[in-house]
Amino acid sequence: MNTKEVIKNLAERLDQSQVKTREDLNATLGVFKNLFGDEVGFSLQNFGTFHVHLKDGRKLYDLNLEKNVMTPKKQQLEFIPSNALKDSVKDKNFE
């Protein structure tokens, strides 16, 4: 499912135009992006928890330099699904 299909589905469920639904979705995603930029996590009940954590650098061997190098630390986004979401997916029959 792509963004256009999600917006169409949401618009039908909310009984509003797709333009209004797109604006609402973009505003919601904008709030999420700001929270991630501020390194703040948040939870959505019955869905899961999003948070940003700092991933340590790794030690690699550079063939061109013929020596070990360290990759820089980086921020990584993590999602931990709630038990309710896990159960709803587990109950589906995917064949």
Side-chain angles (χ1 to χ4, degrees), residues 56-74:
D56 291 333
R58 298 184 312 156
K59 185 175 164 181
L60 301 174
Y61 184 76
D62 188 336
L63 293 173
N64 293 329
L65 299 176
E66 296 182 356
K67 66 178 183 177
N68 289 329
V69 294
M70 287 294 293
T71 61
K73 293 181 179 183
K74 64 180 181 178

Side-chain angles (χ1 to χ4, degrees), residues 1-15:
M1 183 176 270
N2 61 28
T3 305
K4 197 172 194 176
E5 293 168 338
V6 169
I7 290 171
K8 183 179 178 183
N9 193 327
L10 277 173
E12 289 173 1
R13 285 180 175 217
L14 298 172
D15 194 29

Side-chain angles (χ1 to χ4, degrees), residues 11-74:
E12 289 173 1
R13 285 180 175 217
L14 298 172
D15 194 29
Q16 65 184 20
S17 72
Q18 290 185 23
V19 173
K20 173 71 171 126
T21 304
R22 179 179 286 116
E23 291 170 358
D24 292 345
L25 181 61
N26 287 337
T28 303
L29 295 176
V31 170
F32 292 168
K33 287 178 187 177
N34 288 339
L35 290 173
F36 297 143
D38 296 338
E39 298 180 30
V40 176
F42 63 93
S43 296
L44 297 173
Q45 189 174 8
N46 296 325
F47 190 72
T49 302
F50 295 88
H51 68 274
V52 178
H53 81 281
L54 188 62
K55 187 174 180 180
D56 291 333
R58 298 184 312 156
K59 185 175 164 181
L60 301 174
Y61 184 76
D62 188 336
L63 293 173
N64 293 329
L65 299 176
E66 296 182 356
K67 66 178 183 177
N68 289 329
V69 294
M70 287 294 293
T71 61
K73 293 181 179 183
K74 64 180 181 178

